[in-house]
Structures are given as structure tokens and as C-alpha cells.
Amino acid sequence: MKEKWMVAAKKADFRGIGEHFSIDPVIARIMRNRGLTELTQMECYLHGGRKDLHDPHMLKDADRAADILSRKIREKKPVRIIGDYDIDGIQSAYILLKAMKRLGADVDTVIPDRILDGYGLNEHLVTKAKEDGKDTILTCDNGISAVDQIHLAKQLGMTVIVTDHHEVPFEETDGTRTWISSEADAVVNPKQQDCAYPFKGLCGAAVAWKLVQVLYEKMGVPVSEADCFIENVGFATIGDVMELQDENRILVRLGLEMIRKTDNIGMKALILQNGLTPENIKSYHIGFKLGPCLNASGRLETAKLSLKLLLCEDAKEAAVWAQEIVELNESRKLMTAQAVKQAKQIVEDRHYEKDKVLVIFLPDCHESLAGIVAGRIREAYYRPTFVITRTEEGAKGSARSIEGYSMYEEMCKCRELFTKFGGHPMAAGFSLEEKNIPLLRESLNRLASVTEQDLEPKLMIDVPMPVDYIYEDLVRQLELLEPFGKGNEKPVFADRNLTIESLKILGKEGRVIRLRLRSAHGTAMDAVYFGDASELESVIAEKYGAQAAADSINGCNAHPVSLHFAYYPEIDHFFAQPRLQLKIIGFSA
């Protein structure tokens, strides 16, 4: 879809900030665009470390939960950890299991099966824990919405501790919200209304780690020992697409540093099996390479395989499991591509693209892929997207949203149509009766609180910067802004009227385009674009006509053309002599 380009216009003394931190004013401007106004905030953003993390005791019920667990450990009461089958749930379970074993607990862990158990705590898992003689259930990355299941556990005489980060469920009557609570003995979740923790955006693994810190302190173990789990917290923060702001940014930075020299045999095997080297791992590799592999085991087989990999202490065994997980991810990619193609066909054939909210029924799609497909369709049409599949238990689905549309709150408006649902503002999971799917589509669209402007994709330009200004040290300073991800996106620059001097289409599928661009002041710059050449061709045709566009795409330079380019400057290490190049993000006439 055609994007609307917008320039961030936040004001500040960029030169003064640059002098204070010995950075280019461009870097100062980007920090201001990220919402930073005070020098202390910018100092933490640039150089924040372990000392800048918030006190875990500020989490509501953290001390209460630690008191209960320390007593259970001393009394040798059997504890069952119940996690989730995604990246965050796997890493959370790993953290709690390792920590509890370090303290001598009688503990085991269960990762729910996506197909058989569904998301989070359910009655079957509760009764099974009781049958297995467990005294206590400790959840991670789930449990905040499990009101009925926790009630069952309490009726069975069990202790329940919830650690979670999802939205607290509520009921709304005449515009007044009533927050729903459970009978859990302790609930550690910064999203609770009466929780004083200053940062609400932690992932489930971070909440679990914070609890471990308090528990270690109560049991006389040096709190610093818990820092070994920061690599798992950083991995989960990226993998669960949390906002890379406040302490999340610090946790990811510290986590990446640890992953680059990890001692975890399973983590190392997964990195190597993906053809990567530990010392070069960045947030991109976790978000698009390593993370999807851990998710793939929970989607197509069992997430227990990923947890087993992280717990593995034998390099040969880890290599076998890592290979199996990578192969599962390759299968997942093929299945996803087929489902996305089918979903797009439904949207086009039924003219769903006119809807504010897309509700797509793919009965034969593997239910574990619904979320990925929803994300791809959301990207293609820039609409909140619900993808629903048919299962033995009925219809199940996943949803992915856009900025301005709170998925969880919008679903609460028609909660009567769901048999179960939960999630974040940007993503959710749910189940419903198949007969209600048409009604769901109608209701979501009728009740949608989004405007036409909200449904227009936007490309925010951080700095309209002529390519003539780019120099090597500026590119290196941009590394100070890493790690990049949701909430701290890679900066976007733009320049006007760059002439395309040459254009070559490369790669097996023709999705790599190398260009030579020249500014009006004569600066020449190499550039690369990863995408469909037809998109570039259509923009050239819009300005110069079909023939000129065809000539340009075919490498004929008889009629040089100029476009506006959005880009990110980088150093290309592909050649013997590293050189500056532009990574093209977008273009317009």
C-alpha cells in the first residue's frame, strides 16, 4: 500500500545536546523523536546499564510470592511451573525452573500443548497437577485471565502464584470498568491497577526474573547470581515484540551482550545451526531468525523441545535438537506462505479490503499459524486482522493490530461472541463458535473506533537529511541507538530528487535491487533495496510514464529519472574495502 510520508517535527537544542554527549546533532534529533526530553533520559538511553533497572520489590505481590515460594522450598512442597508455548513462555519457564532448582526446590515444569491444551492455564492442567501430587502452581507468561481455572485449583487445596504481563481482564458497564481478579495467592504483573512498578511494559520472562531476584534475596543467595538470566530476558523481550523503551532497552542491550558470549549450550547450538556466529548477534537475528525457531517447535510439535534445548548440557545432543527445530521452522515458512496466499485471495475475491477490520476464515490453516498469517495480512492491507481456523474444539484464531486500534479493548466490546480471548493492544488469541464468525466480522467493523486516517499507512521520517551529509563516523554513531525494535525503530532518513544512474536486479527471485544514486550536488552513493522491482517501477511510471519506468527497470539509462528516497545509511562489508551505502526503505514520486 502507498505510504504517507510524515516528518517528525519535535524541537530541541540539537546542537547543544550533541555537544553535551559528543555526538552529531542528527543523533540528538533522533533521541528527541523517541520521546526523550531530559539529559538524564538521554544519558540512560545512550549508556544505561544494570544500575538503571528498577527495584523488583516495587512489583505488587513480588515479596508475597517470594515469601510463599521460599516457605514451599524449605518445606519440600512440590511445585509445578506452567508456562506457555511461545518464546516468552519458554524463556520464562526456563528462568523459573533453573532458579528454583538452584534453591533446591522440588519443582518441575509443564509447557501446554498448543493444540491439546490451548493458551495458558486450563482445567486439565490444574487437575493433572493435583493428580501428580503438586502442592503449588506457579504460572509464567499466563494466568492473569485464568479466573475459573484458579478457582478450581483453590477448591482442590492448591496454592497458586501468577506471574504474567498480559492485560488484566475487565468488564465494562455504562462506561465504567470493573477489573476482574482471581483467587490466586499472589499475582505479580505490572499491569495491575494498584501496582506501583514504574514501567508497565515488561515481558513475561522479565517479570519472572524480577521475582527470582526477590526470591534469591529472601533465601540468602547473592542477587547478582540471577543476572545470568538476563540473556533469556533480552531474547524474550525481542521475541515477544515488546516496546524497547525504558528498562526493556537496557535488558535487551545487556542480554545481547551476554548472548554474544553465551555459555548456554542449547542457545549456542541454535545460533550455529542458523549459520550465525554468536559474537555478531543483533536484535534482528532474534526477531527474524532465532526466535521463530523456538516458536516453530510450539507451533508444529511441542515447545517442550525448545525448553529441552535450552536446558541441554551436551553439545552433540543440542546440535541434533537445534537441527530439528530449524527444520520445523522451514516447514512452518512453507505452510505460512500457502496460507497467506489463500488469505489474500479471500480478501480480494470478497472485497474485504473495504472493511476497517479484516476477519478471515481459513478452515484448513494449521491453527498455530493463524497469528503469523494475521500479521502478514495486516502488513499487506494495513488493517487490524483476525485469522480464524477450524479445530476439533471449534473455531480458534489470532489477531494482529495496527497503531490506534487496541485489539484487546475492541474485542471486549463484543466479548459475548467469544468463548475465550485475551492478549495485548497489538495482538490477541481467541476461540468462538464457527457460526459466530460472520457476526464477529459485522460487529468488529460496526464498533471499530478507527478513522480513515488511522487506516492509512505512514512512514515517519526522523531526519530529512541530504545524502551529501553522510559520513562514516555518523553511521558508526547510529550504533549508539541500538538495539532497534518496536518502540525504538531504526531511524529513517530521506532525501529528495536523487537521480538513478544505474539499476540492477539481482537474486534468484529478483528481490534484490542495487542502485547508484546521485544527489543534485553531485554526491554519488550506492544503494540497495530488498523488495519487489514492480513497486519501484510503478512509482517511476507515476512520474515519468510506463516506457521510462520499463527502461529504468531493464537497466536502460536513456532517460535518467529522479525520485525521493527514504533510507538508512550503513557500512557495506561485502567488498574487500568496506564502503558507505544506503539501505532503501521507501521511495516516492
Side-chain angles (χ1 to χ4, degrees):
M1 297 182 68
K2 191 173 183 179
E3 297 170 316
K4 181 179 180 180
W5 289 20
M6 303 177 69
V7 177
K10 295 182 178 178
K11 305 293 184 183
D13 179 9
F14 303 127
R15 187 170 298 280
I17 295 170
E19 290 175 356
H20 181 86
F21 291 108
S22 300
I23 55 176
D24 192 287
V26 166
I27 306 297
R29 180 167 178 170
I30 294 167
M31 288 197 294
R32 180 66 188 91
N33 289 346
R34 298 296 176 268
L36 307 177
T37 56
E38 306 295 330
L39 291 178
T40 52
Q41 292 177 315
M42 296 178 184
E43 172 66 32
C44 186
Y45 179 89
L46 291 170
H47 308 297
R50 180 68 179 78
K51 68 182 189 312
D52 299 295
L53 298 176
H54 303 307
D55 183 353
H57 291 278
M58 297 175 72
L59 279 165
K60 181 179 184 292
D61 279 4
D63 281 277
R64 179 176 174 80
D67 284 336
I68 295 171
L69 287 173
S70 60
R71 187 174 71 252
K72 299 293 184 180
I73 292 170
R74 292 190 180 100
E75 294 174 356
K76 299 296 182 183
K77 300 289 188 181
V79 178
R80 171 157 292 171
I81 297 164
I82 298 181
D84 190 25
Y85 41 69
D86 68 355
I87 296 168
D88 196 15
I90 293 164
Q91 296 286 10
S92 302
Y94 172 84
I95 291 169
L96 290 177
L97 183 64
K98 292 285 286 187
M100 293 284 282
K101 285 188 172 181
R102 163 69 180 85
L103 296 170
D106 178 357
V107 63
D108 67 4
T109 183
V110 168
I111 303 290
D113 185 284
R114 181 186 287 264
I115 307 298
L116 299 178
D117 298 312
Y119 165 75
L121 196 61
N122 63 33
E123 287 81 358
H124 162 70
L125 293 173
V126 171
T127 55
K128 185 68 167 66
K130 182 64 178 178
E131 289 169 3
D132 292 344
K134 304 303 175 183
D135 170 87
T136 300
I137 289 175
L138 172 59
T139 77
C140 52
D141 193 35
N142 76 89
I144 195 66
S145 299
V147 177
D148 294 338
Q149 294 80 6
I150 292 171
H151 175 69
L152 172 61
K154 297 304 297 178
Q155 284 186 319
L156 293 173
M158 303 178 75
T159 299
V160 181
I161 297 172
V162 170
T163 73
D164 202 351
H165 72 121
H166 291 91
E167 299 293 333
V168 180
F170 63 87
E171 292 178 345
E172 190 164 352
T173 306
D174 299 326
T176 301
R177 290 185 180 179
T178 303
W179 305 98
I180 301 172
S181 59
S182 71
E183 300 169 48
D185 296 85
V187 178
V188 187
N189 182 343
K191 296 278 180 66
Q192 295 176 94
Q193 296 302 298
D194 53 350
C195 180
Y197 199 77
F199 180 60
K200 305 298 184 181
L202 296 175
C203 69
V207 175
W209 175 63
K210 294 280 181 178
L211 175 59
V212 167
Q213 290 178 281
V214 178
L215 183 58
Y216 273 18
E217 182 181 326
K218 287 189 182 295
M219 297 203 68
V221 174
V223 176
S224 59
E225 279 196 30
D227 285 0
C228 66
F229 299 121
I230 291 178
E231 72 175 69
N232 306 95
V233 174
F235 194 111
T237 301
I238 297 169
D240 215 33
V241 200
M242 306 307 296
E243 297 269 350
L244 296 191
Q245 297 174 354
D246 201 279
E247 70 179 340
N248 275 354
R249 176 176 166 75
I250 298 172
L251 288 168
V252 169
R253 178 191 287 150
L254 296 175
L256 286 170
E257 289 174 2
M258 293 179 67
I259 290 170
R260 288 168 189 148
K261 49 188 177 184
T262 184
D263 292 325
N264 186 292
I265 293 171
M267 183 83 78
K268 195 176 294 183
L270 183 63
I271 291 169
L272 296 176
Q273 197 64 43
N274 274 276
L276 304 171
T277 51
E279 58 269 23
N280 294 321
I281 296 297
K282 292 192 174 186
S283 55
Y284 167 82
H285 300 110
I286 292 174
F288 295 95
K289 299 285 186 179
L290 305 175
C293 289
L294 291 191
N295 268 342
S297 71
R299 292 183 190 282
L300 302 186
E301 286 198 11
T302 169
K304 295 174 187 175
L305 181 60
S306 291
L307 181 59
K308 194 181 292 186
L309 175 66
L310 293 176
L311 293 167
C312 184
E313 297 182 357
D314 180 88
K316 289 183 179 178
E317 194 175 357
V320 173
W321 285 337
Q323 182 180 2
E324 182 177 344
I325 288 173
V326 170
E327 289 172 354
L328 280 172
N329 193 42
E330 291 302 315
S331 298
R332 188 271 309 167
K333 288 180 183 178
L334 291 173
M335 294 167 65
T336 300
Q338 294 171 352
V340 168
K341 183 179 180 180
Q342 184 183 358
K344 286 182 176 179
Q345 194 67 51
I346 290 172
V347 172
E348 302 297 332
D349 290 348
R350 302 181 187 177
H351 305 293
Y352 282 2
E353 70 271 12
K354 296 177 182 178
D355 289 359
K356 288 184 177 180
V357 181
L358 298 178
V359 178
I360 304 168
F361 183 37
L362 297 176
D364 298 325
C365 175
H366 195 290
E367 68 178 81
S368 69
L369 303 180
I372 303 177
V373 177
R376 300 282 172 81
I377 298 301
R378 185 244 347 246
E379 291 169 7
Y381 297 97
Y382 201 70
R383 296 285 190 276
T385 302
F386 290 70
V387 171
I388 305 168
T389 65
R390 180 181 289 146
T391 75
E392 292 181 4
E393 294 79 32
K396 289 185 181 179
S398 288
R400 298 294 182 267
S401 195
I402 60 173
E403 296 295 336
Y405 184 92
S406 177
M407 187 64 72
Y408 182 76
E409 292 198 12
E410 293 290 327
M411 292 172 73
C412 284
K413 293 178 182 179
C414 48
R415 62 166 63 245
E416 69 280 358
L417 296 177
F418 300 105
T419 53
K420 189 177 181 182
F421 75 99
H424 303 292
M426 297 299 291
F430 58 92
S431 57
L432 76 167
E433 293 184 36
E434 190 173 313
K435 66 179 182 181
N436 285 337
I437 295 174
L439 184 56
L440 178 65
R441 178 184 172 225
E442 185 278 327
S443 299
L444 288 170
N445 277 279
R446 174 170 46 83
L447 299 171
S449 57
V450 286
T451 65
E452 290 301 324
Q453 285 186 329
D454 292 328
L455 300 174
E456 184 178 19
K458 301 169 185 68
L459 179 63
M460 185 61 69
I461 308 298
D462 281 287
V463 186
M465 186 172 74
V467 296
D468 314 83
Y469 185 78
I470 299 171
Y471 60 101
E472 191 169 316
D473 189 52
L474 172 63
V475 177
R476 297 194 187 283
Q477 285 185 42
L478 287 171
E479 295 177 3
L480 292 170
L481 306 175
E482 295 186 18
F484 297 127
K486 187 174 185 289
N488 187 51
E489 287 77 8
K490 184 176 283 191
V492 179
F493 304 89
D495 197 3
R496 301 173 60 84
N497 298 318
L498 296 178
T499 300
I500 301 176
E501 290 195 331
S502 66
L503 183 155
K504 292 181 180 178
I505 301 175
L506 307 171
K508 292 181 180 179
E509 299 178 2
R511 295 184 62 82
V512 180
I513 303 172
R514 286 206 166 270
L515 306 106
R516 181 75 169 173
L517 305 176
R518 187 173 295 275
S519 73
H521 297 286
T523 300
M525 188 74 70
D526 290 322
V528 62
Y529 173 66
F530 299 97
D532 193 339
S534 65
E535 296 174 0
L536 180 58
E537 184 175 4
S538 65
V539 173
I540 297 173
E542 177 186 338
K543 186 173 183 180
Y544 293 98
Q547 188 58 55
D551 289 345
S552 296
I553 294 298
N554 291 325
C556 176
N557 214 23
H559 305 286
V561 299
S562 298
L563 298 176
H564 311 319
F565 285 91
Y567 66 88
Y568 181 83
E570 59 186 14
I571 298 173
D572 183 7
H573 294 279
F574 181 78
F575 300 96
Q577 185 68 34
R579 60 191 188 189
L580 293 172
Q581 75 169 7
L582 309 178
K583 183 175 181 180
I584 301 301
I585 297 167
F587 32 76
S588 74

